[in-house]
Amino acid sequence: MSSYGPEERALFESEAGPLFAEIVGTGGIAVDDPRIAVGAARRPALELLLELGLLQPDREGTSYQPQDPSAIQSRVVSPLSQEGSRLLEESSQWASAFGQLTQTWRRSPRASDGGPITHLRGNAIGPFLAGLTAECEEEVLTAQPQTGRDPQTLASAALRDVEMLERGCSMRTLYQHSARRSTVTHQYVSAVTERGAEVRTLDEFFNRMLVFDRRVAVIPGDDDLRLAIAIREPSVVAYLVDVFERAWERGRPFTNRDTAMMKDIAVEQRAMTIRMLIEGHSDPASAKRLGVSPRTYAGYVADLKAEWDAQTRFQLGYVMGTKGVSGQEPAPEDD
């Protein structure tokens, strides 16, 4: 079976799928039906269904009969998944090969010619980070303020990071508490912690950062992450490592699902929501700082309005302010 890509999938979703549903509803379609005649608008959809095996001619050859999609799916999806895994593995091998060359370059006198700061834009960021991961020798520290990483990106990162960990490097990662609700993040964390990585979460907003061997730090250069800045100045890198270490000490282990700790996390997120309201931040800014979607943040606010019997957000902020609520109060003791 040939490989299928975005064009075939678009046709499948927009035309072939609805045509298949119609045929299922009627129990079949005559081969001479004018809707699927050569040159008709729905002919390409029919040809795709036939190629996929979702339609088969009956014994007499007078009609096309629908087939069970679950029996067809694996024949289409499995080769794509295998090809995706192969490409991810190949990209990891290429990154490792370039990493060896990069190590040679960074140890040469020419490496310092560009100065301690490198600006990276757009598509140059990913390969640069892959190279740093491949050449990492001892330790990587990462801070990811929002989940916001799609499954494909996380799968690619997992392959690189696992390979790095299996070389004997250590890894510590900080997420916001909201990352605990992401299935793909849980899968990534499971993959790296099995190889010795440590992952913690915080309630507080912090910026994205990666530090390799306490030698190179990479931070965003703008809000939309289309510009990154690589820093090699030892004093600046040491400062950023100190910021990370202070945040790390306050973090809570990602893999700990203890009821008491999960309650503390809920209390911390509630307190930060209160601080966002009192300080007057907009909903999008508040959601971003909490690392949640605007809809989830609106749910947090609705819970607080119900708790304080407030009708509007302004009224809620006013009531909490007059009662001295600041969002800095210690968590209540269990009875």
Side-chain angles (χ1 to χ4, degrees), residues 32-70:
D32 58 357
D33 190 303
R35 294 176 297 169
I36 57 171
V38 175
R42 307 190 80 174
R43 183 70 183 191
L46 172 77
E47 292 176 350
L48 179 59
L49 291 174
L50 289 170
E51 184 179 347
L52 290 170
L54 286 166
L55 293 180
Q56 296 286 348
D58 62 6
R59 291 183 179 181
E60 293 75 22
T62 59
S63 69
Y64 296 119
Q65 298 297 312
Q67 306 298 309
D68 183 359
S70 64

mmCIF file of all heavy atoms in Angstrom, residues 32-70:
data_model
loop_
_atom_site.group_PDB
_atom_site.id
_atom_site.type_symbol
_atom_site.label_atom_id
_atom_site.label_comp_id
_atom_site.label_asym_id
_atom_site.label_seq_id
_atom_site.Cartn_x
_atom_site.Cartn_y
_atom_site.Cartn_z
ATOM 1 N N ASP A 32 -22.497 2.109 -11.470
ATOM 2 C CA ASP A 32 -22.844 3.075 -12.521
ATOM 3 C C ASP A 32 -23.607 4.278 -11.981
ATOM 4 O O ASP A 32 -24.229 5.023 -12.750
ATOM 5 C CB ASP A 32 -23.662 2.392 -13.615
ATOM 6 C CG ASP A 32 -24.944 1.754 -13.072
ATOM 7 O OD1 ASP A 32 -25.153 1.792 -11.837
ATOM 8 O OD2 ASP A 32 -25.725 1.204 -13.880
ATOM 9 N N ASP A 33 -23.556 4.487 -10.655
ATOM 10 C CA ASP A 33 -24.208 5.655 -10.065
ATOM 11 C C ASP A 33 -23.572 6.922 -10.647
ATOM 12 O O ASP A 33 -22.343 7.066 -10.636
ATOM 13 C CB ASP A 33 -24.031 5.628 -8.536
ATOM 14 C CG ASP A 33 -24.882 6.686 -7.837
ATOM 15 O OD1 ASP A 33 -24.734 7.870 -8.155
ATOM 16 O OD2 ASP A 33 -25.677 6.307 -6.960
ATOM 17 N N PRO A 34 -24.366 7.843 -11.202
ATOM 18 C CA PRO A 34 -23.803 9.049 -11.842
ATOM 19 C C PRO A 34 -22.989 9.921 -10.897
ATOM 20 O O PRO A 34 -22.128 10.677 -11.342
ATOM 21 C CB PRO A 34 -25.047 9.788 -12.356
ATOM 22 C CG PRO A 34 -26.197 9.238 -11.553
ATOM 23 C CD PRO A 34 -25.850 7.812 -11.279
ATOM 24 N N ARG A 35 -23.220 9.832 -9.597
ATOM 25 C CA ARG A 35 -22.458 10.652 -8.639
ATOM 26 C C ARG A 35 -20.980 10.274 -8.603
ATOM 27 O O ARG A 35 -20.134 11.084 -8.218
ATOM 28 C CB ARG A 35 -23.050 10.511 -7.239
ATOM 29 C CG ARG A 35 -24.453 11.087 -7.085
ATOM 30 C CD ARG A 35 -24.986 10.798 -5.697
ATOM 31 N NE ARG A 35 -25.117 9.357 -5.455
ATOM 32 C CZ ARG A 35 -25.355 8.813 -4.269
ATOM 33 N NH1 ARG A 35 -25.472 9.602 -3.205
ATOM 34 N NH2 ARG A 35 -25.473 7.506 -4.140
ATOM 35 N N ILE A 36 -20.673 9.019 -8.993
ATOM 36 C CA ILE A 36 -19.279 8.563 -8.915
ATOM 37 C C ILE A 36 -18.738 8.196 -10.292
ATOM 38 O O ILE A 36 -17.717 7.515 -10.406
ATOM 39 C CB ILE A 36 -19.161 7.353 -7.973
ATOM 40 C CG1 ILE A 36 -20.079 6.218 -8.440
ATOM 41 C CG2 ILE A 36 -19.483 7.763 -6.539
ATOM 42 C CD1 ILE A 36 -19.869 4.915 -7.688
ATOM 43 N N ALA A 37 -19.417 8.659 -11.336
ATOM 44 C CA ALA A 37 -18.950 8.378 -12.693
ATOM 45 C C ALA A 37 -17.623 9.082 -12.957
ATOM 46 O O ALA A 37 -17.262 10.049 -12.282
ATOM 47 C CB ALA A 37 -20.005 8.833 -13.705
ATOM 48 N N VAL A 38 -16.903 8.579 -13.951
ATOM 49 C CA VAL A 38 -15.637 9.206 -14.326
ATOM 50 C C VAL A 38 -15.889 10.660 -14.703
ATOM 51 O O VAL A 38 -16.775 10.955 -15.521
ATOM 52 C CB VAL A 38 -14.989 8.444 -15.507
ATOM 53 C CG1 VAL A 38 -13.727 9.172 -15.970
ATOM 54 C CG2 VAL A 38 -14.667 7.013 -15.106
ATOM 55 N N GLY A 39 -15.144 11.554 -14.084
ATOM 56 C CA GLY A 39 -15.311 12.980 -14.331
ATOM 57 C C GLY A 39 -16.259 13.658 -13.372
ATOM 58 O O GLY A 39 -16.314 14.898 -13.334
ATOM 59 N N ALA A 40 -17.015 12.881 -12.590
ATOM 60 C CA ALA A 40 -17.931 13.476 -11.618
ATOM 61 C C ALA A 40 -17.150 14.037 -10.435
ATOM 62 O O ALA A 40 -16.006 13.629 -10.154
ATOM 63 C CB ALA A 40 -18.940 12.423 -11.134
ATOM 64 N N ALA A 41 -17.781 14.957 -9.713
ATOM 65 C CA ALA A 41 -17.104 15.644 -8.620
ATOM 66 C C ALA A 41 -16.663 14.690 -7.509
ATOM 67 O O ALA A 41 -15.644 14.912 -6.851
ATOM 68 C CB ALA A 41 -18.020 16.734 -8.048
ATOM 69 N N ARG A 42 -17.428 13.606 -7.307
ATOM 70 C CA ARG A 42 -17.129 12.703 -6.196
ATOM 71 C C ARG A 42 -16.278 11.505 -6.616
ATOM 72 O O ARG A 42 -16.023 10.611 -5.811
ATOM 73 C CB ARG A 42 -18.435 12.230 -5.551
ATOM 74 C CG ARG A 42 -19.350 13.388 -5.165
ATOM 75 C CD ARG A 42 -20.525 12.971 -4.330
ATOM 76 N NE ARG A 42 -20.179 12.801 -2.936
ATOM 77 C CZ ARG A 42 -21.050 12.541 -1.967
ATOM 78 N NH1 ARG A 42 -22.330 12.410 -2.267
ATOM 79 N NH2 ARG A 42 -20.667 12.386 -0.724
ATOM 80 N N ARG A 43 -15.842 11.497 -7.864
ATOM 81 C CA ARG A 43 -15.022 10.389 -8.344
ATOM 82 C C ARG A 43 -13.692 10.260 -7.592
ATOM 83 O O ARG A 43 -13.296 9.142 -7.233
ATOM 84 C CB ARG A 43 -14.767 10.558 -9.841
ATOM 85 C CG ARG A 43 -13.966 9.414 -10.454
ATOM 86 C CD ARG A 43 -14.784 8.147 -10.516
ATOM 87 N NE ARG A 43 -13.991 7.021 -11.035
ATOM 88 C CZ ARG A 43 -14.516 5.848 -11.381
ATOM 89 N NH1 ARG A 43 -15.829 5.654 -11.272
ATOM 90 N NH2 ARG A 43 -13.747 4.885 -11.838
ATOM 91 N N PRO A 44 -12.965 11.364 -7.340
ATOM 92 C CA PRO A 44 -11.711 11.220 -6.590
ATOM 93 C C PRO A 44 -11.926 10.607 -5.208
ATOM 94 O O PRO A 44 -11.101 9.816 -4.742
ATOM 95 C CB PRO A 44 -11.193 12.657 -6.493
ATOM 96 C CG PRO A 44 -11.793 13.355 -7.661
ATOM 97 C CD PRO A 44 -13.151 12.751 -7.814
ATOM 98 N N ALA A 45 -13.033 10.970 -4.559
ATOM 99 C CA ALA A 45 -13.316 10.398 -3.242
ATOM 100 C C ALA A 45 -13.553 8.899 -3.355
ATOM 101 O O ALA A 45 -13.077 8.109 -2.525
ATOM 102 C CB ALA A 45 -14.528 11.092 -2.615
ATOM 103 N N LEU A 46 -14.297 8.485 -4.384
ATOM 104 C CA LEU A 46 -14.540 7.056 -4.597
ATOM 105 C C LEU A 46 -13.230 6.311 -4.828
ATOM 106 O O LEU A 46 -12.992 5.249 -4.244
ATOM 107 C CB LEU A 46 -15.461 6.852 -5.799
ATOM 108 C CG LEU A 46 -15.615 5.386 -6.232
ATOM 109 C CD1 LEU A 46 -16.546 4.652 -5.288
ATOM 110 C CD2 LEU A 46 -16.089 5.285 -7.670
ATOM 111 N N GLU A 47 -12.353 6.868 -5.664
ATOM 112 C CA GLU A 47 -11.091 6.200 -5.977
ATOM 113 C C GLU A 47 -10.220 6.052 -4.729
ATOM 114 O O GLU A 47 -9.545 5.031 -4.558
ATOM 115 C CB GLU A 47 -10.357 6.971 -7.068
ATOM 116 C CG GLU A 47 -11.078 6.916 -8.414
ATOM 117 C CD GLU A 47 -10.406 7.762 -9.477
ATOM 118 O OE1 GLU A 47 -9.497 8.548 -9.127
ATOM 119 O OE2 GLU A 47 -10.798 7.648 -10.662
ATOM 120 N N LEU A 48 -10.256 7.052 -3.845
ATOM 121 C CA LEU A 48 -9.487 6.944 -2.609
ATOM 122 C C LEU A 48 -10.062 5.847 -1.716
ATOM 123 O O LEU A 48 -9.307 5.059 -1.122
ATOM 124 C CB LEU A 48 -9.480 8.286 -1.874
ATOM 125 C CG LEU A 48 -8.724 8.304 -0.532
ATOM 126 C CD1 LEU A 48 -7.261 7.916 -0.722
ATOM 127 C CD2 LEU A 48 -8.823 9.685 0.114
ATOM 128 N N LEU A 49 -11.376 5.772 -1.614
ATOM 129 C CA LEU A 49 -12.001 4.732 -0.793
ATOM 130 C C LEU A 49 -11.680 3.341 -1.333
ATOM 131 O O LEU A 49 -11.426 2.398 -0.559
ATOM 132 C CB LEU A 49 -13.514 4.943 -0.738
ATOM 133 C CG LEU A 49 -14.001 6.173 0.040
ATOM 134 C CD1 LEU A 49 -15.510 6.331 -0.121
ATOM 135 C CD2 LEU A 49 -13.631 6.075 1.521
ATOM 136 N N LEU A 50 -11.666 3.199 -2.653
ATOM 137 C CA LEU A 50 -11.317 1.920 -3.262
ATOM 138 C C LEU A 50 -9.851 1.577 -3.010
ATOM 139 O O LEU A 50 -9.496 0.439 -2.702
ATOM 140 C CB LEU A 50 -11.594 1.962 -4.771
ATOM 141 C CG LEU A 50 -13.071 1.976 -5.181
ATOM 142 C CD1 LEU A 50 -13.206 2.275 -6.675
ATOM 143 C CD2 LEU A 50 -13.737 0.642 -4.844
ATOM 144 N N GLU A 51 -8.988 2.572 -3.138
ATOM 145 C CA GLU A 51 -7.559 2.341 -2.914
ATOM 146 C C GLU A 51 -7.292 1.942 -1.470
ATOM 147 O O GLU A 51 -6.463 1.071 -1.197
ATOM 148 C CB GLU A 51 -6.766 3.597 -3.278
ATOM 149 C CG GLU A 51 -5.259 3.412 -3.161
ATOM 150 C CD GLU A 51 -4.493 4.665 -3.563
ATOM 151 O OE1 GLU A 51 -5.111 5.573 -4.164
ATOM 152 O OE2 GLU A 51 -3.293 4.735 -3.260
ATOM 153 N N LEU A 52 -7.990 2.571 -0.543
ATOM 154 C CA LEU A 52 -7.817 2.245 0.870
ATOM 155 C C LEU A 52 -8.408 0.882 1.227
ATOM 156 O O LEU A 52 -8.048 0.286 2.239
ATOM 157 C CB LEU A 52 -8.479 3.320 1.737
ATOM 158 C CG LEU A 52 -7.807 4.695 1.762
ATOM 159 C CD1 LEU A 52 -8.705 5.710 2.446
ATOM 160 C CD2 LEU A 52 -6.457 4.619 2.473
ATOM 161 N N GLY A 53 -9.322 0.406 0.409
ATOM 162 C CA GLY A 53 -9.979 -0.853 0.717
ATOM 163 C C GLY A 53 -11.247 -0.688 1.525
ATOM 164 O O GLY A 53 -11.824 -1.676 1.988
ATOM 165 N N LEU A 54 -11.703 0.560 1.697
ATOM 166 C CA LEU A 54 -12.931 0.807 2.437
ATOM 167 C C LEU A 54 -14.177 0.466 1.614
ATOM 168 O O LEU A 54 -15.267 0.332 2.166
ATOM 169 C CB LEU A 54 -12.983 2.269 2.894
ATOM 170 C CG LEU A 54 -12.041 2.608 4.052
ATOM 171 C CD1 LEU A 54 -11.907 4.113 4.214
ATOM 172 C CD2 LEU A 54 -12.534 1.976 5.348
ATOM 173 N N LEU A 55 -14.005 0.348 0.292
ATOM 174 C CA LEU A 55 -15.073 -0.128 -0.587
ATOM 175 C C LEU A 55 -14.546 -1.307 -1.383
ATOM 176 O O LEU A 55 -13.386 -1.292 -1.837
ATOM 177 C CB LEU A 55 -15.533 0.976 -1.549
ATOM 178 C CG LEU A 55 -16.252 2.197 -0.954
ATOM 179 C CD1 LEU A 55 -16.626 3.157 -2.079
ATOM 180 C CD2 LEU A 55 -17.483 1.796 -0.155
ATOM 181 N N GLN A 56 -15.383 -2.319 -1.548
ATOM 182 C CA GLN A 56 -15.029 -3.491 -2.347
ATOM 183 C C GLN A 56 -16.191 -3.811 -3.287
ATOM 184 O O GLN A 56 -17.359 -3.703 -2.909
ATOM 185 C CB GLN A 56 -14.763 -4.705 -1.445
ATOM 186 C CG GLN A 56 -13.570 -4.566 -0.518
ATOM 187 C CD GLN A 56 -12.244 -4.694 -1.258
ATOM 188 O OE1 GLN A 56 -12.216 -5.105 -2.409
ATOM 189 N NE2 GLN A 56 -11.160 -4.319 -0.581
ATOM 190 N N PRO A 57 -15.904 -4.229 -4.545
ATOM 191 C CA PRO A 57 -16.993 -4.638 -5.448
ATOM 192 C C PRO A 57 -17.685 -5.897 -4.920
ATOM 193 O O PRO A 57 -17.049 -6.749 -4.297
ATOM 194 C CB PRO A 57 -16.263 -4.924 -6.765
ATOM 195 C CG PRO A 57 -14.937 -4.260 -6.636
ATOM 196 C CD PRO A 57 -14.591 -4.280 -5.189
ATOM 197 N N ASP A 58 -18.975 -5.977 -5.120
ATOM 198 C CA ASP A 58 -19.667 -7.204 -4.724
ATOM 199 C C ASP A 58 -19.358 -8.314 -5.739
ATOM 200 O O ASP A 58 -18.645 -8.106 -6.727
ATOM 201 C CB ASP A 58 -21.169 -6.959 -4.603
ATOM 202 C CG ASP A 58 -21.813 -6.542 -5.928
ATOM 203 O OD1 ASP A 58 -21.114 -6.562 -6.973
ATOM 204 O OD2 ASP A 58 -23.006 -6.198 -5.931
ATOM 205 N N ARG A 59 -19.896 -9.519 -5.504
ATOM 206 C CA ARG A 59 -19.580 -10.662 -6.351
ATOM 207 C C ARG A 59 -20.022 -10.453 -7.794
ATOM 208 O O ARG A 59 -19.374 -10.920 -8.743
ATOM 209 C CB ARG A 59 -20.252 -11.926 -5.794
ATOM 210 C CG ARG A 59 -19.660 -12.386 -4.475
ATOM 211 C CD ARG A 59 -20.313 -13.673 -4.007
ATOM 212 N NE ARG A 59 -19.734 -14.132 -2.759
ATOM 213 C CZ ARG A 59 -20.102 -15.250 -2.134
ATOM 214 N NH1 ARG A 59 -21.073 -16.011 -2.648
ATOM 215 N NH2 ARG A 59 -19.517 -15.596 -1.009
ATOM 216 N N GLU A 60 -21.129 -9.786 -7.983
ATOM 217 C CA GLU A 60 -21.631 -9.555 -9.324
ATOM 218 C C GLU A 60 -20.932 -8.396 -10.029
ATOM 219 O O GLU A 60 -21.072 -8.212 -11.241
ATOM 220 C CB GLU A 60 -23.149 -9.279 -9.289
ATOM 221 C CG GLU A 60 -23.993 -10.462 -8.860
ATOM 222 C CD GLU A 60 -23.905 -10.709 -7.363
ATOM 223 O OE1 GLU A 60 -23.549 -9.748 -6.621
ATOM 224 O OE2 GLU A 60 -24.190 -11.834 -6.923
ATOM 225 N N GLY A 61 -20.220 -7.592 -9.265
ATOM 226 C CA GLY A 61 -19.553 -6.442 -9.844
ATOM 227 C C GLY A 61 -20.480 -5.316 -10.205
ATOM 228 O O GLY A 61 -20.140 -4.459 -11.032
ATOM 229 N N THR A 62 -21.653 -5.290 -9.571
ATOM 230 C CA THR A 62 -22.624 -4.245 -9.898
ATOM 231 C C THR A 62 -22.662 -3.119 -8.880
ATOM 232 O O THR A 62 -23.263 -2.073 -9.125
ATOM 233 C CB THR A 62 -24.035 -4.859 -9.999
ATOM 234 O OG1 THR A 62 -24.363 -5.482 -8.748
ATOM 235 C CG2 THR A 62 -24.076 -5.895 -11.120
ATOM 236 N N SER A 63 -22.069 -3.339 -7.714
ATOM 237 C CA SER A 63 -22.087 -2.302 -6.677
ATOM 238 C C SER A 63 -20.818 -2.384 -5.846
ATOM 239 O O SER A 63 -20.090 -3.388 -5.862
ATOM 240 C CB SER A 63 -23.311 -2.464 -5.770
ATOM 241 O OG SER A 63 -23.192 -3.646 -4.984
ATOM 242 N N TYR A 64 -20.570 -1.300 -5.108
ATOM 243 C CA TYR A 64 -19.455 -1.251 -4.166
ATOM 244 C C TYR A 64 -20.028 -1.373 -2.756
ATOM 245 O O TYR A 64 -20.991 -0.689 -2.406
ATOM 246 C CB TYR A 64 -18.682 0.062 -4.289
ATOM 247 C CG TYR A 64 -18.017 0.247 -5.635
ATOM 248 C CD1 TYR A 64 -18.366 1.320 -6.452
ATOM 249 C CD2 TYR A 64 -17.040 -0.636 -6.071
ATOM 250 C CE1 TYR A 64 -17.760 1.503 -7.690
ATOM 251 C CE2 TYR A 64 -16.420 -0.463 -7.309
ATOM 252 C CZ TYR A 64 -16.788 0.608 -8.110
ATOM 253 O OH TYR A 64 -16.189 0.784 -9.327
ATOM 254 N N GLN A 65 -19.410 -2.255 -1.947
ATOM 255 C CA GLN A 65 -19.881 -2.498 -0.599
ATOM 256 C C GLN A 65 -18.889 -1.942 0.425
ATOM 257 O O GLN A 65 -17.672 -2.087 0.265
ATOM 258 C CB GLN A 65 -20.067 -4.002 -0.359
ATOM 259 C CG GLN A 65 -21.109 -4.638 -1.266
ATOM 260 C CD GLN A 65 -22.487 -4.060 -1.019
ATOM 261 O OE1 GLN A 65 -22.929 -3.944 0.124
ATOM 262 N NE2 GLN A 65 -23.176 -3.684 -2.106
ATOM 263 N N PRO A 66 -19.404 -1.272 1.490
ATOM 264 C CA PRO A 66 -18.495 -0.711 2.512
ATOM 265 C C PRO A 66 -17.870 -1.817 3.356
ATOM 266 O O PRO A 66 -18.472 -2.867 3.583
ATOM 267 C CB PRO A 66 -19.419 0.182 3.344
ATOM 268 C CG PRO A 66 -20.772 -0.438 3.190
ATOM 269 C CD PRO A 66 -20.827 -0.990 1.792
ATOM 270 N N GLN A 67 -16.632 -1.548 3.829
ATOM 271 C CA GLN A 67 -15.893 -2.490 4.662
ATOM 272 C C GLN A 67 -15.626 -1.860 6.033
ATOM 273 O O GLN A 67 -15.694 -0.645 6.204
ATOM 274 C CB GLN A 67 -14.563 -2.863 3.995
ATOM 275 C CG GLN A 67 -14.700 -3.388 2.577
ATOM 276 C CD GLN A 67 -15.509 -4.659 2.488
ATOM 277 O OE1 GLN A 67 -15.225 -5.620 3.215
ATOM 278 N NE2 GLN A 67 -16.514 -4.684 1.608
ATOM 279 N N ASP A 68 -15.316 -2.718 7.003
ATOM 280 C CA ASP A 68 -15.071 -2.271 8.380
ATOM 281 C C ASP A 68 -13.815 -1.387 8.433
ATOM 282 O O ASP A 68 -12.710 -1.862 8.159
ATOM 283 C CB ASP A 68 -14.877 -3.487 9.288
ATOM 284 C CG ASP A 68 -14.678 -3.102 10.751
ATOM 285 O OD1 ASP A 68 -14.676 -1.891 11.061
ATOM 286 O OD2 ASP A 68 -14.518 -4.017 11.583
ATOM 287 N N PRO A 69 -13.941 -0.098 8.807
ATOM 288 C CA PRO A 69 -12.758 0.795 8.849
ATOM 289 C C PRO A 69 -11.687 0.335 9.831
ATOM 290 O O PRO A 69 -10.503 0.574 9.607
ATOM 291 C CB PRO A 69 -13.352 2.147 9.273
ATOM 292 C CG PRO A 69 -14.791 2.067 8.892
ATOM 293 C CD PRO A 69 -15.186 0.633 9.086
ATOM 294 N N SER A 70 -12.101 -0.306 10.943
ATOM 295 C CA SER A 70 -11.108 -0.722 11.933
ATOM 296 C C SER A 70 -10.150 -1.756 11.373
ATOM 297 O O SER A 70 -9.007 -1.875 11.828
ATOM 298 C CB SER A 70 -11.811 -1.275 13.179
ATOM 299 O OG SER A 70 -12.556 -2.448 12.869
#
